[in-house]
Short mmCIF file of all heavy atoms in Angstrom, two decimals:
data_model
loop_
_atom_site.label_atom_id
_atom_site.label_comp_id
_atom_site.label_asym_id
_atom_site.label_seq_id
_atom_site.Cartn_x
_atom_site.Cartn_y
_atom_site.Cartn_z
N PRO A 1 123.04 161.49 122.77
CA PRO A 1 124.13 161.74 121.82
C PRO A 1 124.84 163.03 121.89
O PRO A 1 124.32 163.87 122.68
CB PRO A 1 123.29 161.59 120.42
CG PRO A 1 122.17 160.80 120.71
CD PRO A 1 121.78 161.14 122.13
N PRO A 2 125.97 163.16 121.28
CA PRO A 2 126.69 164.39 121.39
C PRO A 2 125.98 165.77 121.11
O PRO A 2 126.25 166.77 121.89
CB PRO A 2 127.82 164.26 120.30
CG PRO A 2 128.01 162.85 120.18
CD PRO A 2 126.72 162.20 120.39
N PHE A 3 124.87 165.72 120.29
CA PHE A 3 124.21 166.94 120.20
C PHE A 3 123.50 167.34 121.50
O PHE A 3 123.07 168.58 121.71
CB PHE A 3 123.20 166.82 119.03
CG PHE A 3 121.93 166.11 119.23
CD1 PHE A 3 120.89 166.63 119.94
CD2 PHE A 3 121.74 164.69 118.95
CE1 PHE A 3 119.67 165.97 120.27
CE2 PHE A 3 120.69 164.08 119.21
CZ PHE A 3 119.60 164.56 119.86
N VAL A 4 123.17 166.45 122.34
CA VAL A 4 122.50 166.81 123.57
C VAL A 4 123.46 167.49 124.53
O VAL A 4 123.16 168.52 125.15
CB VAL A 4 122.04 165.41 124.27
CG1 VAL A 4 121.41 165.81 125.76
CG2 VAL A 4 121.06 164.64 123.44
N GLY A 5 124.75 167.11 124.44
CA GLY A 5 125.77 167.76 125.25
C GLY A 5 125.88 169.23 124.68
O GLY A 5 125.99 170.19 125.52
N ARG A 6 125.88 169.44 123.43
CA ARG A 6 126.00 170.72 122.90
C ARG A 6 124.84 171.68 123.25
O ARG A 6 124.95 172.83 123.41
CB ARG A 6 126.12 170.62 121.36
CG ARG A 6 127.39 169.95 120.85
CD ARG A 6 127.54 170.09 119.36
NE ARG A 6 128.71 169.32 118.87
CZ ARG A 6 128.65 168.12 118.39
NH1 ARG A 6 127.38 167.50 118.27
NH2 ARG A 6 129.72 167.41 117.99
N GLU A 7 123.66 170.95 123.25
CA GLU A 7 122.35 171.72 123.65
C GLU A 7 122.45 172.15 125.04
O GLU A 7 122.15 173.29 125.46
CB GLU A 7 121.20 170.91 123.30
CG GLU A 7 119.81 171.66 123.39
CD GLU A 7 119.67 172.77 122.36
OE1 GLU A 7 120.53 172.99 121.58
OE2 GLU A 7 118.61 173.42 122.33
N PHE A 8 122.90 171.30 125.94
CA PHE A 8 123.13 171.63 127.37
C PHE A 8 124.09 172.87 127.45
O PHE A 8 123.91 173.78 128.23
CB PHE A 8 123.63 170.54 128.18
CG PHE A 8 122.58 169.59 128.79
CD1 PHE A 8 122.50 168.28 128.39
CD2 PHE A 8 121.58 170.02 129.66
CE1 PHE A 8 121.66 167.40 129.06
CE2 PHE A 8 120.60 169.26 130.15
CZ PHE A 8 120.61 167.88 129.78
N ASN A 9 125.13 172.80 126.67
CA ASN A 9 126.15 173.86 126.73
C ASN A 9 125.55 175.24 126.24
O ASN A 9 125.86 176.23 126.75
CB ASN A 9 127.33 173.42 125.82
CG ASN A 9 128.50 174.39 125.88
OD1 ASN A 9 129.16 174.42 124.93
ND2 ASN A 9 128.71 175.09 126.95
N ARG A 10 124.65 175.09 125.21
CA ARG A 10 124.01 176.36 124.76
C ARG A 10 123.11 176.88 125.85
O ARG A 10 122.89 178.15 125.91
CB ARG A 10 123.34 175.93 123.36
CG ARG A 10 122.75 177.24 122.76
CD ARG A 10 122.01 176.83 121.50
NE ARG A 10 120.83 176.17 121.67
CZ ARG A 10 119.54 176.77 121.89
NH1 ARG A 10 119.54 178.07 122.02
NH2 ARG A 10 118.48 176.06 122.14
N LEU A 11 122.36 176.02 126.48
CA LEU A 11 121.26 176.52 127.38
C LEU A 11 121.74 176.89 128.71
O LEU A 11 121.08 177.70 129.39
CB LEU A 11 120.11 175.46 127.33
CG LEU A 11 119.44 175.15 126.10
CD1 LEU A 11 118.60 173.93 126.25
CD2 LEU A 11 118.66 176.34 125.62
N ILE A 12 122.78 176.34 129.22
CA ILE A 12 123.21 176.59 130.58
C ILE A 12 124.19 177.70 130.42
O ILE A 12 125.33 177.47 129.80
CB ILE A 12 123.84 175.35 131.26
CG1 ILE A 12 122.82 174.31 131.34
CG2 ILE A 12 124.27 175.67 132.69
CD1 ILE A 12 123.24 172.89 131.92
N PRO A 13 124.04 178.86 131.02
CA PRO A 13 124.92 180.08 130.78
C PRO A 13 126.33 179.82 131.17
O PRO A 13 127.24 180.07 130.22
CB PRO A 13 124.33 181.06 131.67
CG PRO A 13 122.81 180.76 131.90
CD PRO A 13 122.82 179.09 131.89
N ASN A 14 126.64 179.42 132.28
CA ASN A 14 128.07 179.31 132.65
C ASN A 14 128.67 177.82 132.70
O ASN A 14 129.07 177.30 133.58
CB ASN A 14 128.25 179.97 134.12
CG ASN A 14 129.69 180.02 134.62
OD1 ASN A 14 130.52 180.12 133.76
ND2 ASN A 14 129.87 180.24 135.93
N SER A 15 128.48 177.42 131.37
CA SER A 15 128.92 175.98 131.26
C SER A 15 130.07 175.78 130.29
O SER A 15 130.40 176.65 129.36
CB SER A 15 127.68 175.15 130.75
OG SER A 15 127.41 175.56 129.56
N GLU A 16 130.86 174.58 130.46
CA GLU A 16 131.83 174.37 129.54
C GLU A 16 131.71 172.88 129.15
O GLU A 16 131.33 172.01 129.87
CB GLU A 16 133.27 174.54 130.13
CG GLU A 16 133.64 173.79 131.44
CD GLU A 16 135.03 174.13 131.94
OE1 GLU A 16 135.15 175.28 132.51
OE2 GLU A 16 135.77 173.26 131.82
N LEU A 17 131.93 172.43 127.88
CA LEU A 17 131.66 171.12 127.40
C LEU A 17 133.02 170.56 126.87
O LEU A 17 133.77 171.16 126.24
CB LEU A 17 130.75 171.30 126.18
CG LEU A 17 130.42 170.04 125.32
CD1 LEU A 17 129.84 168.97 126.19
CD2 LEU A 17 129.55 170.39 124.14
N HIS A 18 133.16 169.25 127.43
CA HIS A 18 134.36 168.50 126.93
C HIS A 18 133.81 167.11 126.37
O HIS A 18 133.03 166.39 127.08
CB HIS A 18 135.23 168.18 128.17
CG HIS A 18 135.82 169.38 128.88
ND1 HIS A 18 137.15 169.90 128.60
CD2 HIS A 18 135.28 170.37 129.52
CE1 HIS A 18 137.42 170.87 129.22
NE2 HIS A 18 136.26 171.25 129.88
N PHE A 19 134.29 166.79 125.15
CA PHE A 19 133.97 165.52 124.53
C PHE A 19 135.11 164.63 124.76
O PHE A 19 136.30 164.99 124.70
CB PHE A 19 133.62 165.82 123.07
CG PHE A 19 132.34 166.29 122.79
CD1 PHE A 19 132.07 167.45 122.22
CD2 PHE A 19 131.18 165.55 123.02
CE1 PHE A 19 130.92 168.10 121.93
CE2 PHE A 19 129.93 165.93 122.77
CZ PHE A 19 129.76 167.25 122.25
N VAL A 20 134.79 163.28 124.89
CA VAL A 20 135.82 162.29 125.10
C VAL A 20 135.70 161.34 123.96
O VAL A 20 134.58 160.77 123.72
CB VAL A 20 135.74 161.66 126.41
CG1 VAL A 20 136.96 160.77 126.59
CG2 VAL A 20 135.74 162.56 127.51
N ASP A 21 136.69 161.04 123.12
CA ASP A 21 136.55 160.12 121.98
C ASP A 21 136.54 158.68 122.51
O ASP A 21 137.01 158.38 123.62
CB ASP A 21 137.89 160.35 121.14
CG ASP A 21 137.73 161.58 120.27
OD1 ASP A 21 136.52 161.97 119.87
OD2 ASP A 21 138.77 162.13 119.91
N LYS A 22 135.93 157.80 121.62
CA LYS A 22 135.91 156.39 121.97
C LYS A 22 135.29 156.10 123.26
O LYS A 22 135.89 155.39 124.24
CB LYS A 22 137.24 155.67 121.81
CG LYS A 22 137.87 155.81 120.47
CD LYS A 22 139.27 155.12 120.38
CE LYS A 22 139.77 155.10 118.89
NZ LYS A 22 141.07 154.50 118.81
N CYS A 23 134.14 156.78 123.55
CA CYS A 23 133.52 156.70 124.77
C CYS A 23 132.06 156.84 124.56
O CYS A 23 131.52 157.67 123.72
CB CYS A 23 134.02 157.91 125.70
SG CYS A 23 133.23 157.99 127.29
N GLY A 24 131.21 156.09 125.43
CA GLY A 24 129.81 156.05 125.32
C GLY A 24 129.09 156.83 126.43
O GLY A 24 129.43 158.09 126.73
N HIS A 25 128.09 156.22 126.96
CA HIS A 25 127.15 156.94 127.86
C HIS A 25 127.67 157.18 129.26
O HIS A 25 127.08 157.88 130.03
CB HIS A 25 125.86 156.12 127.84
CG HIS A 25 124.70 156.91 128.52
ND1 HIS A 25 124.35 158.08 128.27
CD2 HIS A 25 123.98 156.49 129.63
CE1 HIS A 25 123.33 158.41 129.05
NE2 HIS A 25 123.06 157.41 129.87
N ALA A 26 128.74 156.46 129.67
CA ALA A 26 129.26 156.49 131.06
C ALA A 26 130.82 156.69 131.15
O ALA A 26 131.61 155.88 131.32
CB ALA A 26 128.86 155.14 131.83
N PRO A 27 131.24 157.99 130.78
CA PRO A 27 132.62 158.29 130.65
C PRO A 27 133.39 157.97 131.94
O PRO A 27 134.47 157.61 131.97
CB PRO A 27 132.68 159.82 130.34
CG PRO A 27 131.35 160.09 129.67
CD PRO A 27 130.42 159.13 130.38
N MET A 28 132.81 158.10 133.07
CA MET A 28 133.47 157.96 134.31
C MET A 28 133.92 156.41 134.55
O MET A 28 134.80 156.11 135.29
CB MET A 28 132.81 158.43 135.55
CG MET A 28 131.50 157.69 135.99
SD MET A 28 130.06 157.91 134.85
CE MET A 28 128.96 156.75 135.44
N MET A 29 133.15 155.53 133.79
CA MET A 29 133.44 154.11 133.83
C MET A 29 134.40 153.78 132.70
O MET A 29 135.26 152.97 132.95
CB MET A 29 132.17 153.26 133.67
CG MET A 29 131.26 153.32 134.83
SD MET A 29 129.71 152.31 134.56
CE MET A 29 130.45 150.62 134.52
N GLU A 30 134.06 154.26 131.54
CA GLU A 30 134.81 153.77 130.32
C GLU A 30 136.16 154.38 130.15
O GLU A 30 137.03 153.73 129.68
CB GLU A 30 133.91 154.04 129.15
CG GLU A 30 134.34 153.18 127.87
CD GLU A 30 133.33 153.10 126.81
OE1 GLU A 30 132.37 153.95 126.91
OE2 GLU A 30 133.49 152.37 125.85
N VAL A 31 136.29 155.65 130.47
CA VAL A 31 137.55 156.45 130.34
C VAL A 31 137.83 157.14 131.70
O VAL A 31 137.91 158.41 131.59
CB VAL A 31 137.46 157.36 129.19
CG1 VAL A 31 137.56 156.54 127.79
CG2 VAL A 31 136.20 158.29 129.15
N PRO A 32 138.02 156.44 132.83
CA PRO A 32 138.06 157.08 133.97
C PRO A 32 139.32 158.15 134.16
O PRO A 32 139.13 159.15 134.79
CB PRO A 32 138.26 155.96 135.06
CG PRO A 32 138.78 154.81 134.13
CD PRO A 32 138.12 154.99 132.85
N GLU A 33 140.48 157.78 133.53
CA GLU A 33 141.56 158.61 133.61
C GLU A 33 141.27 160.01 132.97
O GLU A 33 141.52 161.09 133.50
CB GLU A 33 142.81 158.04 133.07
CG GLU A 33 143.34 156.96 133.86
CD GLU A 33 144.71 156.35 133.36
OE1 GLU A 33 145.24 156.96 132.36
OE2 GLU A 33 145.19 155.40 133.91
N ALA A 34 140.77 159.96 131.75
CA ALA A 34 140.42 161.24 131.02
C ALA A 34 139.26 161.99 131.82
O ALA A 34 139.33 163.21 131.92
CB ALA A 34 139.92 160.84 129.65
N PHE A 35 138.29 161.25 132.30
CA PHE A 35 137.25 161.94 133.02
C PHE A 35 137.71 162.61 134.23
O PHE A 35 137.45 163.73 134.51
CB PHE A 35 136.19 160.88 133.41
CG PHE A 35 134.94 161.42 134.06
CD1 PHE A 35 133.80 161.66 133.37
CD2 PHE A 35 135.01 161.68 135.54
CE1 PHE A 35 132.59 162.26 133.97
CE2 PHE A 35 133.69 162.16 136.14
CZ PHE A 35 132.64 162.48 135.35
N ASN A 36 138.51 161.88 135.03
CA ASN A 36 139.04 162.44 136.29
C ASN A 36 140.02 163.72 136.05
O ASN A 36 140.00 164.59 136.78
CB ASN A 36 139.79 161.42 137.14
CG ASN A 36 138.93 160.37 137.64
OD1 ASN A 36 137.74 160.62 137.75
ND2 ASN A 36 139.44 159.20 138.04
N GLU A 37 140.64 163.63 134.90
CA GLU A 37 141.57 164.81 134.65
C GLU A 37 140.76 165.99 134.22
O GLU A 37 141.09 167.09 134.68
CB GLU A 37 142.46 164.32 133.35
CG GLU A 37 143.49 165.47 132.99
CD GLU A 37 144.35 165.09 131.87
OE1 GLU A 37 144.31 163.84 131.48
OE2 GLU A 37 145.05 165.94 131.26
N ILE A 38 139.70 165.91 133.47
CA ILE A 38 138.86 166.92 133.21
C ILE A 38 138.17 167.51 134.47
O ILE A 38 138.05 168.70 134.56
CB ILE A 38 137.73 166.48 132.08
CG1 ILE A 38 138.49 166.19 130.83
CG2 ILE A 38 136.72 167.68 131.88
CD1 ILE A 38 137.48 165.46 129.81
N LEU A 39 137.68 166.65 135.24
CA LEU A 39 136.88 167.03 136.51
C LEU A 39 137.89 167.78 137.44
O LEU A 39 137.47 168.81 137.94
CB LEU A 39 136.24 165.75 137.02
CG LEU A 39 135.53 166.00 138.47
CD1 LEU A 39 134.45 167.16 138.27
CD2 LEU A 39 134.92 164.79 138.96
N ALA A 40 139.00 167.20 137.58
CA ALA A 40 139.98 167.87 138.48
C ALA A 40 140.37 169.28 137.99
O ALA A 40 140.56 170.15 138.79
CB ALA A 40 141.33 167.01 138.48
N GLY A 41 140.58 169.43 136.75
CA GLY A 41 140.92 170.73 136.19
C GLY A 41 139.82 171.66 136.40
O GLY A 41 140.02 172.91 136.80
N PHE A 42 138.51 171.33 136.28
CA PHE A 42 137.37 172.13 136.53
C PHE A 42 137.33 172.53 138.00
O PHE A 42 137.17 173.68 138.34
CB PHE A 42 136.11 171.38 136.03
CG PHE A 42 134.79 172.03 136.42
CD1 PHE A 42 134.37 173.18 135.67
CD2 PHE A 42 134.11 171.58 137.48
CE1 PHE A 42 133.13 173.77 136.02
CE2 PHE A 42 132.82 172.25 137.80
CZ PHE A 42 132.35 173.28 137.02
N LEU A 43 137.44 171.64 138.98
CA LEU A 43 137.31 171.80 140.28
C LEU A 43 138.55 172.66 140.86
O LEU A 43 138.34 173.69 141.63
CB LEU A 43 137.34 170.42 141.08
CG LEU A 43 136.15 169.59 140.90
CD1 LEU A 43 136.25 168.30 141.64
CD2 LEU A 43 134.84 170.29 141.28
N ASN A 44 139.73 172.49 140.12
CA ASN A 44 140.81 173.41 140.64
C ASN A 44 140.71 174.75 140.26
O ASN A 44 141.10 175.68 140.93
CB ASN A 44 142.09 172.83 139.99
CG ASN A 44 142.60 171.53 140.70
OD1 ASN A 44 142.36 171.24 141.78
ND2 ASN A 44 143.36 170.72 139.93
#
């Protein structure tokens, strides 16, 4: 659940957290366009 993402964000020093609405456990499958946009921005 979302609180797990928040806890990872709190515990990993150089981390950034992005939530995607209307999305479950596999964002790269369920919302691929949003996922790829977030990942591309991070890698760039």
Side-chain angles (χ1 to χ4, degrees):
F3 77 82
V4 180
R6 293 189 187 95
E7 189 69 357
F8 273 120
N9 187 210
R10 184 181 74 81
L11 293 171
I12 299 176
N14 191 13
S15 64
E16 59 182 75
L17 172 62
H18 297 257
F19 283 112
V20 185
D21 286 329
K22 297 182 179 179
C23 177
H25 188 54
M28 71 286 173
M29 289 180 70
E30 196 163 14
V31 287
E33 289 185 9
F35 185 94
N36 291 342
E37 184 179 348
I38 294 168
L39 177 55
F42 173 76
L43 295 175
N44 286 337

